Amino acid sequence: MRRRDEADFTEFAAAALGRLRRTAYLMCGDWHRAEDAAQDALVRIYRRWDKLHRQDGLNTYAHKVVVSVVLDQARRPWRREHSTAEPGELPRPDGAGIVDDRQVVIAALAGIPAGQRACVVLRHYADLSIEETAQVLGISTGTVKSQTSRGLIQLRELLGERAAS
């Protein structure tokens, strides 16, 4: 790789790392796994850096890679979590009401299927369009719409159960 390309990649990686890490965290709910996923994604991007068109959807490609890494991590047998919590059980806020709502939403995100979670995160957190989300996930725009809709319905149900208790 040429020195200029190295500098361009370093600049891109510095700017994208935080965003990729947050997207990965919303996908998996674990900061350590998210850090690993973001770093693995940057390694994959680095390997293809010479072939990537930097003006045409580099951020979309980066999201595609980080989502792929998170989903790959989840398939590894040593990464599977064995939770003793009941499905859909969400953390309770403290009596003072200081608990950050993000933790409740992240726990609820973990309660929906991976495909729906990916669509919801990419559409509503990463602010990708339907077309960009479809490209990232390698699915049709109709599937993005239906998975996002179903994911939001399940999130509302999980968060509604949480608010009712």
Side-chain angles (χ1 to χ4, degrees), residues 35-90:
E35 181 71 30
D36 289 346
Q39 289 178 7
D40 287 351
L42 288 174
V43 168
R44 289 184 188 184
I45 292 167
Y46 180 81
R47 288 182 187 150
R48 295 188 37 97
W49 190 252
D50 291 338
K51 297 175 182 134
L52 295 173
H53 300 287
R54 288 162 199 58
Q55 302 89 331
D56 301 329
L58 184 57
N59 288 323
T60 301
Y61 179 73
H63 276 101
K64 178 177 186 167
V65 173
V66 80
V67 167
S68 176
V69 169
V70 170
L71 294 175
D72 289 348
Q73 284 179 344
R75 290 184 195 108
R76 294 180 184 151
W78 61 86
R79 289 283 193 183
R80 293 198 181 115
E81 297 175 22
H82 302 287
S83 175
T84 58
E86 290 294 317
E89 186 177 306
L90 300 176

Side-chain angles (χ1 to χ4, degrees), residues 2 17 32 57 60 77 88-90 95 107 127 134 137 153 155 159 162:
R2 294 188 334 245
L17 180 61
H32 298 290
T60 301
E89 186 177 306
L90 300 176
D127 202 27
L137 298 175
I153 288 169
L155 271 178
L159 293 171
R162 160 66 185 81

Side-chain angles (χ1 to χ4, degrees), residues 23-164:
T23 299
Y25 176 69
L26 291 173
M27 290 290 302
C28 69
D30 180 312
W31 279 113
H32 298 290
R33 283 181 55 202
E35 181 71 30
D36 289 346
Q39 289 178 7
D40 287 351
L42 288 174
V43 168
R44 289 184 188 184
I45 292 167
Y46 180 81
R47 288 182 187 150
R48 295 188 37 97
W49 190 252
D50 291 338
K51 297 175 182 134
L52 295 173
H53 300 287
R54 288 162 199 58
Q55 302 89 331
D56 301 329
L58 184 57
N59 288 323
T60 301
Y61 179 73
H63 276 101
K64 178 177 186 167
V65 173
V66 80
V67 167
S68 176
V69 169
V70 170
L71 294 175
D72 289 348
Q73 284 179 344
R75 290 184 195 108
R76 294 180 184 151
W78 61 86
R79 289 283 193 183
R80 293 198 181 115
E81 297 175 22
H82 302 287
S83 175
T84 58
E86 290 294 317
E89 186 177 306
L90 300 176
R92 292 195 158 325
D94 65 355
I98 301 172
V99 171
D100 192 352
D101 289 340
R102 289 180 295 179
Q103 295 303 321
V104 175
V105 173
I106 290 166
L109 277 170
I112 64 175
Q116 292 175 10
R117 183 171 54 243
C119 287
V120 169
V121 168
L122 292 175
R123 288 281 296 127
H124 295 284
Y125 172 75
D127 202 27
L128 297 183
S129 69
I130 292 170
E131 293 77 18
E132 290 170 326
T133 302
Q135 182 182 3
V136 165
L137 298 175
I139 58 179
S140 71
T141 56
T143 303
V144 169
K145 291 176 189 177
S146 67
Q147 291 292 301
T148 302
S149 176
R150 289 180 187 140
L152 290 173
I153 288 169
Q154 279 197 288
L155 271 178
R156 285 184 192 109
E157 288 174 2
L158 288 169
L159 293 171
E161 290 171 8
R162 160 66 185 81

